[in-house]
Amino acid sequence: MKKNKYLIVLAGMIIQLSIGSIYAYSKWIEPLSKELNWDAHDTKMGFSLAICFLGLTAAFMGKFAQKIGPAKSGLIATVFMTTGLLGSALAVNMNSMNLFYLTFGVLQGIGLGFGYIVPVYTVVKWFPDRPGLASGIIIMSFALGSLLASFLIGPLCIAVGLSGAFAVLGIGCGICMMLSALYLANPESSKAVQYAHIDLTPKQILTDKRFIALWLLLFLNVCGGIAIISKAAVLGVEVVGMNAAQSTMFVAIIGLFNGIGRLLWSSILDKIGCWTTFMIFIGINGICFALIPIFSTNSTYFQTLTYIIIAGYGAGFATMPAFVRNIFGTEKYGQVLGYILTAWSAAAFFGPLLLGLSKDISIFYLFSVLLIVALGVGVWLKGLLTQTEEVLSYQ
């Protein structure tokens, strides 16, 4: 059956919307604390584990996913995602935090990994002339999934209880992901633009200075944003005194700007190139992190700065696929991108850990410093690309 490329995009978006529910994690913290008396700091480990295994799965299973094809890979994502959420419901019933770490963190994380990379590398193949926009649309959906989930989690907890909320979300995501996965397919014939391809072994990729620079760029850009996402609802209450309804809206709008940032910056990338795009949004985020402690007493300013930061955070994910493809070529694209996503895994632990070092809002200055370092890494990367004389669209 001949596939419609726009329906391929829709299928990829639905999968990303489903797995994007992980970004609404902060909405689980309060009910877990109230019903099971689980400490908020301990429960954050479930989120960090999920993102960690997302990155590890993308890194080490990316080649396997491409080998078996997008439909089978999408079904694997469905099984792990659904099992993880249903297992989380069981963990809540048993009041077992270790089981929660295994199911919500590890099993769901594996599902997230397959579900994240498969739609991205599949859709990009259908739109070789606009790789930045194509990946941006798909990855935007991942961010928007948190917006949807943030409005569902609270009402579900009230209607069917905490355990039931995990179960209903798991079943709903499972059905949507399964139907979407069955439609995914690679294009029968490719008219892809031929970029310079470098045939490297995994060891050569991991030791390539350009890979190291890209990894550091993603890691440093992710640290601050994922720290905010991991406890967004709590930050809203602690920093500017939001009530429950306001914190829910805060989390939802964060998801919206995460998505907007991915689409906006990926569109800009197609016009001005990868390197310039990265430097602009990293610089903007560095300034915003430095301004948050100054304007933290004003709710409007605090939220505005946070939304800008999250837009830049999402931009890193939307623009990195095109960056990787331009540098390493289409054949190694999926594999290299998977390795680079381990930066997300590392930042999932490091970012929230830094934020937890102090309850003082001045901790945000530290994230500003990290982004200044990222600008230095970007300058280094540009030098490396110039030295290798690759004619790419990073300029």
Side-chain angles (χ1 to χ4, degrees), residues 210-289:
R210 295 163 303 172
F211 167 83
I212 295 171
L214 289 172
W215 193 96
L216 288 172
L217 277 177
L218 186 61
F219 172 77
L220 294 168
N221 188 58
V222 167
C223 280
I226 205 162
I228 291 174
I229 289 171
S230 70
K231 58 178 300 186
V234 178
L235 280 175
V237 174
E238 291 180 349
V239 177
V240 291
M242 294 180 182
N243 57 36
Q246 290 171 331
S247 68
T248 296
M249 184 59 68
F250 182 52
V251 173
I253 297 177
I254 280 178
L256 177 62
F257 272 84
N258 195 350
I260 290 174
R262 293 170 190 237
L263 184 59
L264 172 65
W265 287 106
S266 62
S267 301
I268 293 173
L269 174 148
D270 286 329
K271 294 180 174 63
I272 67 175
C274 300
W275 186 87
T276 303
T277 303
F278 254 84
M279 292 300 96
I280 292 174
F281 67 68
I282 285 175
I284 291 173
N285 273 19
I287 294 171
C288 289
F289 268 115

Side-chain angles (χ1 to χ4, degrees), residues 180-375:
S180 299
L182 291 173
Y183 192 79
L184 284 180
N186 290 320
E188 294 180 3
S189 61
S190 176
K191 298 179 181 179
V193 177
Q194 297 298 313
Y195 294 102
H197 174 62
I198 305 166
D199 190 14
L200 299 173
T201 65
K203 182 178 179 180
Q204 288 174 316
I205 291 171
L206 295 173
T207 56
D208 191 307
K209 290 180 180 179
R210 295 163 303 172
F211 167 83
I212 295 171
L214 289 172
W215 193 96
L216 288 172
L217 277 177
L218 186 61
F219 172 77
L220 294 168
N221 188 58
V222 167
C223 280
I226 205 162
I228 291 174
I229 289 171
S230 70
K231 58 178 300 186
V234 178
L235 280 175
V237 174
E238 291 180 349
V239 177
V240 291
M242 294 180 182
N243 57 36
Q246 290 171 331
S247 68
T248 296
M249 184 59 68
F250 182 52
V251 173
I253 297 177
I254 280 178
L256 177 62
F257 272 84
N258 195 350
I260 290 174
R262 293 170 190 237
L263 184 59
L264 172 65
W265 287 106
S266 62
S267 301
I268 293 173
L269 174 148
D270 286 329
K271 294 180 174 63
I272 67 175
C274 300
W275 186 87
T276 303
T277 303
F278 254 84
M279 292 300 96
I280 292 174
F281 67 68
I282 285 175
I284 291 173
N285 273 19
I287 294 171
C288 289
F289 268 115
L291 291 176
I292 280 184
I294 299 173
F295 295 103
S296 61
T297 56
N298 185 298
S299 179
T300 301
Y301 290 158
F302 171 76
Q303 291 183 66
T304 300
L305 291 169
T306 299
Y307 299 147
I308 294 173
I309 287 170
I310 295 301
Y313 162 85
F317 294 107
T319 54
M320 184 58 73
F323 217 161
V324 172
R325 187 183 181 191
N326 285 355
I327 293 174
F328 289 95
T330 54
E331 291 183 18
K332 291 291 183 182
Y333 160 73
Q335 184 182 8
V336 176
L337 180 61
Y339 290 137
I340 286 178
L341 288 178
T342 60
W344 193 3
S345 301
F349 285 99
F350 191 68
L353 178 64
L354 286 182
L355 188 60
L357 292 177
S358 173
K359 290 188 176 182
D360 194 293
I361 196 66
S362 62
I363 193 70
F364 281 84
Y365 286 128
L366 186 55
F367 293 111
S368 181
V369 172
L370 291 180
L371 290 172
I372 293 174
V373 174
L375 291 175

